Amino acid sequence: MAAGEQPGTGTSPPACRLFLLVLSVIITDQVLAASAQGMSIGINYGQIADNLPSPSRVSRLLRSMQISKVKLYDADQNVLSAFLDTGVEFVVGIGNENVSAMVDPAAAQAWVQQHVRPYLPSARITCITVGNEVFKGNDTALKANLLPAMQSVYQAIVALGLQGQVNVTTAHSLDIMGNSYPPSAGTFRPDVVPYIQPLLSFLSMARSPFLINCYPYFAYKADPGSVPLEYVLFQPNAGVADANTGLNYDNMLYAQIDSVYAAMQALGHTDIDVKISETGWPSRGDPDEAGATPEYAGIYISNLLRRIEMKQGTPLRPSSPIDVYVFALFNENLKPGPASERNYGLFYPDGKPVYDVGLRGYLPPMDESKSARKVVSLLALVAIASITLILS
């Protein structure tokens, strides 16, 4: 150190700078893993597209945004492997096309052994959804097989001692409701009650949640002249009073949630939590899809995120914070149906936000390959050796 030079004011030797750079690269994953514990928001990671970034890049993106919960529609091994030891919770799914096969206990056991067991505890798989919106279709065999399939998967979980750690449930479309207004008068459709009644008994026994996909956008799209935009976008409004309970609802999503609670209570169950497995707003749609704009999508999602972070509950259950999985992470260019179906993403496939809701994320420009990791390791060794020589 030169005479009069104060500690820490000199120029660092090149080897020191190299060492610090390499050290920052090495600890990046640990920092991201820690930050993943931050937000209580969940997000749906759909992959019906041919232009999405690799799972390893998506892992970095989500962790940079402090997303703590991810829902898949399958049990993609590449995705789960990319999130090992990150602390991110996962909901994995069994597609409708495989539900009937799961009725066979041996098949359910094999599925759990292949798609769940190998990743625990490094991947935090906390829930398995057996099917998605099964009662929305007309496949009576699928409807009849849903509960037996769920029971078989649950028994496979029990056999591995994972009950209480991994829930087994299924996700429903809101059109299973026969009535949802006022919320206190919520009931299930008569044709689904014979299926829902025993399913609720199973969820109660297994202590699993009731998952519902809720889209206030659909109500607005169907009748934009009658549905107040402020009511569906969580914007200030007088609200709608439930004459039976006296509760006031200032947004449609909460009214939909409480109508499901009422429908379950009508069938004798008050012991099952309702979680929102999907909700979102499209940023673009066909000419006849009213309200599908980036502006409205941004308002809906940002206001929803604000309420999630406030740990707000519904009027019926104010002390139970809403549990929500936003749909979806990316725009998915291969989804069938109207244009809106391909435009629910928070991000474009290149990692750019579709609209600004305050989520700041980083999508790496390329994968860190094994060769790149070897280079980093080699640089680390060189830097350490250089430091040792300087200090000796």
Side-chain angles (χ1 to χ4, degrees):
M1 184 182 297
E5 182 179 330
Q6 297 300 313
T9 62
T11 302
S12 300
C16 289
R17 294 198 300 271
L18 177 61
F19 174 73
L20 292 173
L21 175 62
V22 171
L23 184 62
S24 69
V25 172
I26 293 173
I27 67 174
T28 296
D29 283 343
Q30 283 73 19
V31 172
L32 288 173
S35 69
Q37 307 302 319
M39 295 183 66
S40 58
I41 175 183
I43 197 157
N44 283 275
Y45 177 9
Q47 300 183 78
I48 306 178
D50 60 7
N51 58 355
L52 298 183
S54 66
S56 61
R57 296 174 66 200
V58 174
S59 175
R60 300 289 289 269
L61 171 66
L62 289 177
R63 288 181 286 143
S64 71
M65 292 191 297
Q66 301 185 28
I67 299 297
S68 61
K69 299 184 295 184
V70 175
K71 179 170 165 284
L72 302 178
Y73 293 88
D74 52 21
D76 190 316
Q77 298 180 16
N78 293 323
V79 173
L80 294 174
S81 297
F83 282 84
L84 295 177
D85 300 314
T86 63
V88 176
E89 288 186 25
F90 269 91
V91 176
V92 298
I94 297 173
N96 289 357
E97 70 278 7
N98 296 318
V99 167
S100 294
M102 294 300 109
V103 173
D104 179 1
Q109 180 78 24
W111 190 92
V112 171
Q113 288 281 9
Q114 179 182 352
H115 296 284
V116 177
R117 188 68 188 92
Y119 299 96
L120 297 174
S122 297
R124 293 187 62 197
I125 299 173
T126 59
C127 183
I128 300 171
T129 56
V130 183
N132 183 59
E133 299 188 342
V134 166
F135 299 118
K136 188 174 184 177
N138 298 316
D139 189 334
T140 55
L142 178 60
K143 294 176 184 179
N145 287 332
L146 177 60
L147 179 56
M150 293 171 65
Q151 292 168 329
S152 292
V153 173
Y154 178 74
Q155 289 305 317
I157 291 296
V158 171
L160 293 172
L162 299 175
Q163 70 274 22
Q165 178 181 345
V166 181
N167 290 319
V168 177
T169 186
T170 188
H172 304 278
S173 166
L174 193 67
D175 66 8
I176 63 170
M177 300 296 292
N179 182 61
S180 60
Y181 180 81
S184 61
T187 56
F188 295 114
R189 289 192 341 243
D191 62 297
V192 302
V193 168
Y195 301 105
I196 292 290
Q197 180 82 70
L199 191 148
L200 291 175
S201 297
F202 166 80
L203 294 179
S204 175
M205 177 277 298
R207 299 183 178 180
S208 292
F210 188 96
L211 303 187
I212 190 81
N213 300 336
C214 289
Y215 289 88
Y217 168 71
F218 292 159
Y220 180 78
K221 170 185 171 181
D223 193 2
S226 300
V227 177
L229 191 59
E230 295 81 7
Y231 184 60
V232 292
L233 292 180
F234 302 97
Q235 292 180 313
N237 66 93
V240 178
D242 186 323
N244 298 326
T245 62
L247 297 174
N248 190 71
Y249 291 84
D250 68 353
N251 70 86
M252 182 176 286
L253 182 67
Y254 286 10
Q256 291 174 338
I257 295 171
D258 281 354
S259 73
V260 175
Y261 276 120
M264 291 196 299
Q265 183 174 359
L267 295 182
H269 287 279
T270 58
D271 56 343
I272 302 170
D273 291 331
V274 175
K275 297 187 178 185
I276 305 302
S277 40
E278 289 182 19
T279 192
W281 194 286
S283 60
R284 191 171 71 86
D286 290 322
D288 62 344
E289 294 189 287
T293 69
E295 178 188 1
Y296 292 162
I299 293 172
Y300 182 82
I301 296 298
S302 61
N303 285 339
L304 174 62
L305 295 182
R306 188 173 297 113
R307 294 189 181 226
I308 292 173
E309 288 307 300
M310 290 169 59
K311 300 187 183 302
Q312 193 175 71
T314 67
L316 184 63
R317 297 198 174 191
S319 61
S320 299
I322 57 172
D323 195 340
V324 177
Y325 284 82
V326 170
F327 188 87
L329 181 56
F330 295 110
N331 282 344
E332 298 172 68
N333 67 338
L334 298 182
K335 291 198 73 174
S340 61
E341 287 295 314
R342 295 176 288 282
N343 289 278
Y344 274 92
L346 299 179
F347 292 91
Y348 294 109
D350 63 3
K352 294 179 181 178
V354 177
Y355 43 81
D356 184 13
V357 293
L359 290 176
R360 296 288 182 264
Y362 171 68
L363 181 69
M366 63 176 63
D367 287 330
E368 290 184 353
S369 64
K370 290 183 179 180
S371 60
R373 290 182 181 276
K374 289 180 180 179
V375 170
V376 170
S377 299
L378 180 60
L379 287 173
L381 291 174
V382 170
I384 293 171
S386 300
I387 294 293
T388 303
L389 288 173
I390 291 171
L391 295 177
S392 62

